[in-house]
């Protein structure tokens, strides 16, 4: 269920910004357009291969960049495994993040410290960037944030994914998140439990405040 990294050792190429064409979606997508590179092309290729293998049309690539040498050390490439694993959380981005964290033996992909990493790196720190064939869904975006990945690049938008002939729409999720709990499609209740804060108090006393 985990993919292995592939070493590359090549110079990191900064993203080159592009001027948006007149028909480019506005507001949310303002001033984020960049030149495609190897990694986004590989993510899109992985998405196509996923469809050919019977999976969803989504792929992702995660690269590790050495902060001292400014070189790409290795990368992970994975696809959507929802139907294969019977796991609704096995989206491409989540899958590739899981693989990288497991192999590096870290949970913070924004600052990978050399003493903490299971894999070698020249500099004291490195970081990871993620490239997705399509705009990440709310779950995947949250996973990217929790992993502290500082750079996210996607190609197709969620609006293109939700085209009737494609059928992957996150609209109900976005709409639900804007509502109060009592107005959401999912029944949400809060149970007031006297033990609810016990774990938080134990966490405060543990000294394990870095997460």
């Amino acid at each position: 269920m985990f993919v292995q990294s592939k070493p590359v050792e090549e110079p990191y190429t900064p993203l080159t910004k592009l001027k948006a064409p007149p028909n480019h979606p506005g507001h949310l997508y303002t001033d984020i357009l960049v030149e495609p590179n190897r990694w986004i092309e590989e993510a899109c290729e992985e998405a196509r291969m996923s469809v050919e293998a019977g999976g969803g049309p989504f792929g992702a690539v995660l690269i590790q960049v050495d902060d001292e040498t400014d070189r790409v050390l290795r990368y992970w490439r994975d696809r959507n495994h929802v139907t294969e694993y019977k796991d609704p959380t096995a989206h491409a981005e989540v899958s590739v993040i899981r693989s990288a964290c497991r192999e590096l033996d870290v949970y913070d992909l924004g600052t990978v410290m050399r003493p903490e990493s299971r894999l070698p790196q020249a500099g004291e720190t490195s970081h990871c960037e993620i490239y997705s064939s399509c705009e990440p869904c709310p779950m995947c975006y949250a996973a990217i944030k929790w992993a502290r990945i500082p750079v996210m690049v996607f190609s197709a938008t969620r609006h293109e994914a939700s085209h009737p002939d494609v059928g992957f729409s996150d609209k109900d999720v976005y709409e639900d998140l804007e509502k109060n709990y009592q107005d959401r499609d999912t029944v949400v209740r809060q149970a007031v439990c006297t033990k609810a804060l016990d774990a938080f108090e134990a966490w405060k006393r543990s000294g394990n405040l870095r997460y």
Side-chain angles (χ1 to χ4, degrees):
M1 294 178 66
F2 298 98
V3 295
Q4 293 294 308
S5 63
K6 296 181 180 179
V8 281
E9 278 291 342
E10 65 180 50
Y12 172 74
T13 304
L15 298 167
T16 304
K17 296 194 75 171
L18 291 176
K19 184 177 180 180
N23 62 343
H24 191 67
H27 305 298
L28 181 63
Y29 304 97
T30 298
D31 202 34
I32 67 168
L33 205 62
V34 295
E35 284 271 12
N37 60 12
R38 168 188 174 179
W39 309 116
I40 195 66
E41 289 176 353
E42 289 212 20
C44 292
E45 182 182 69
E46 189 68 29
R48 177 186 55 79
M49 292 172 63
S50 179
V51 175
E52 293 173 353
F58 305 99
V61 171
L62 190 144
I63 67 172
Q64 183 185 10
V65 182
D66 192 292
D67 294 330
E68 184 175 299
T69 64
D70 208 27
R71 297 181 69 85
V72 180
L73 301 174
R74 56 188 61 87
Y75 70 97
W76 293 260
R77 173 172 159 166
D78 211 347
R79 62 186 65 169
N80 182 285
H81 294 286
V82 171
T83 56
E84 179 185 359
Y85 297 162
K86 305 298 186 290
D87 179 357
T89 69
H91 289 196
E93 296 90 342
V94 171
S95 297
V96 80
I97 288 171
R98 286 172 175 168
S99 292
C101 288
R102 184 179 180 88
E103 193 171 355
L104 290 168
D105 197 28
V106 300
Y107 53 81
D108 183 346
L109 296 177
T111 305
V112 181
M113 306 295 294
R114 183 168 57 191
E116 298 175 359
S117 175
R118 184 182 289 157
L119 299 180
Q121 60 186 54
E124 186 64 24
T125 64
S126 65
H127 72 276
C128 294
E129 300 182 0
I130 192 164
Y131 295 78
S132 177
S133 64
C134 184
E135 182 178 354
C137 72
M139 177 187 70
C140 291
Y141 184 77
I144 291 166
K145 292 292 289 184
W146 276 113
R148 296 188 174 91
I149 297 171
V151 177
M152 175 187 81
V153 181
F154 63 85
S155 190
T157 70
R158 66 179 189 240
H159 305 291
E160 291 165 321
S162 66
H163 187 281
D165 291 338
V166 181
F168 290 89
S169 177
D170 299 316
K171 183 180 178 181
D172 59 334
V173 180
Y174 285 102
E175 290 178 347
D176 239 21
L177 291 173
E178 293 292 326
K179 299 176 183 177
N180 293 327
Y181 280 125
Q182 66 267 28
D183 299 323
R184 297 187 182 184
D185 294 336
T186 302
V187 176
V188 181
R189 297 290 183 263
Q190 180 185 12
V192 180
C193 176
T194 57
K195 298 180 180 180
L197 302 182
D198 290 355
F200 294 153
E201 293 303 322
W203 178 259
K204 292 176 186 177
R205 294 191 299 270
S206 71
N208 297 320
L209 298 181
R210 182 175 179 270
Y211 191 84

